[in-house]
Amino acid sequence: VEQWHADSSFRDTPSACSLFYGVMCPPEGGETWLLDAVTAYAELPAALRARIAWLNAVHDLNTLSEWNRRNTPGKPPLSDEARRRFPPVSQPLVRRHPATGRASLFICPAVISHVEGLPPAEGHALIAEVMEHAAQDRYVYRHRWRAGDLVVWDNLSTLHTATLFDHEKHQRLMFRTTVSG
């Protein structure tokens, strides 16, 4: 699994939903996993839920770029232009859905540079603790792609990730549309 996230969390207004359409899908790997961030939050231990309820984290496209560089040798650093267009933005660790009012986790570990008000190591440990709980099998739907599949998800209630596949052995062609929040 690469990394759990909600699309465009590094923007002032993150995306509301995403549509993903499979054209060419590898026979193994390349799955999309969706995490129920509402139920995972509701079922956090009460003390942990209370601890994160009012905390914000800084989502930074450069942090994501550096994460990608660590995992993809030879990838260039984020351009100065992209850094200017997408400066770091503070987002709550827990957000409320505007339509349902339900609280959910808004934790994108590879995008978060730090948790505001906490020493960096403590903030990263807190995020890891929450994600260990949230990534349990009971909160995750695993979609194995077939050509012609269209999956739509609510970025305000879920996190998602992709599994790896052999890029030299298989091709994968997907189209994504992301709807602004």
Side-chain angles (χ1 to χ4, degrees):
V1 175
E2 291 190 7
Q3 48 110 348
W4 291 105
H5 66 283
D7 289 334
S8 302
S9 72
F10 56 85
R11 294 177 181 263
D12 283 327
T13 304
S15 67
C17 70
S18 296
L19 300 86
F20 212 43
Y21 178 72
V23 177
M24 296 173 59
C25 307
E28 55 194 20
E31 296 178 350
T32 297
W33 293 6
L34 296 155
L35 183 156
D36 177 355
V38 172
T39 306
Y41 172 72
E43 295 182 358
L44 273 173
L48 187 53
R49 198 170 53 247
R51 185 167 179 220
I52 67 170
W54 305 107
L55 291 175
N56 285 354
V58 174
H59 292 237
D60 186 352
L61 184 57
N62 189 59
T63 299
L64 176 60
S65 176
E66 291 304 307
W67 182 91
N68 281 324
R69 285 168 42 87
R70 284 190 301 277
N71 293 284
T72 311
K75 189 169 180 92
L78 190 66
S79 71
D80 290 339
E81 171 60 21
R83 291 177 90 150
R84 278 191 299 277
R85 284 185 57 215
F86 302 106
V89 61
S90 179
Q91 304 282 13
L93 291 180
V94 178
R95 61 183 174 174
R96 294 216 171 261
H97 195 288
T100 67
R102 296 188 68 194
S104 68
L105 297 171
F106 189 32
I107 298 180
C108 309
V111 184
I112 292 173
S113 64
H114 63 281
V115 176
E116 293 177 344
L118 296 180
E122 185 179 337
H124 290 296
L126 178 62
I127 288 167
E129 182 181 359
V130 172
M131 287 309 302
E132 183 178 346
H133 166 82
Q136 293 178 70
D137 285 343
R138 69 179 184 234
Y139 304 124
V140 177
Y141 164 72
R142 292 166 175 81
H143 187 77
R144 182 172 180 162
W145 289 95
R146 294 175 309 192
D149 284 355
L150 172 66
V151 175
V152 179
W153 62 84
D154 179 350
N155 276 302
L156 304 174
S157 301
T158 64
L159 300 175
H160 62 279
T161 191
T163 63
L164 300 176
F165 69 96
D166 187 338
H167 292 265
E168 293 181 15
K169 192 174 173 185
H170 304 292
Q171 291 185 320
R172 182 176 192 238
L173 177 60
M174 313 293 279
F175 291 102
R176 183 184 83 180
T177 298
T178 302
V179 179
S180 178

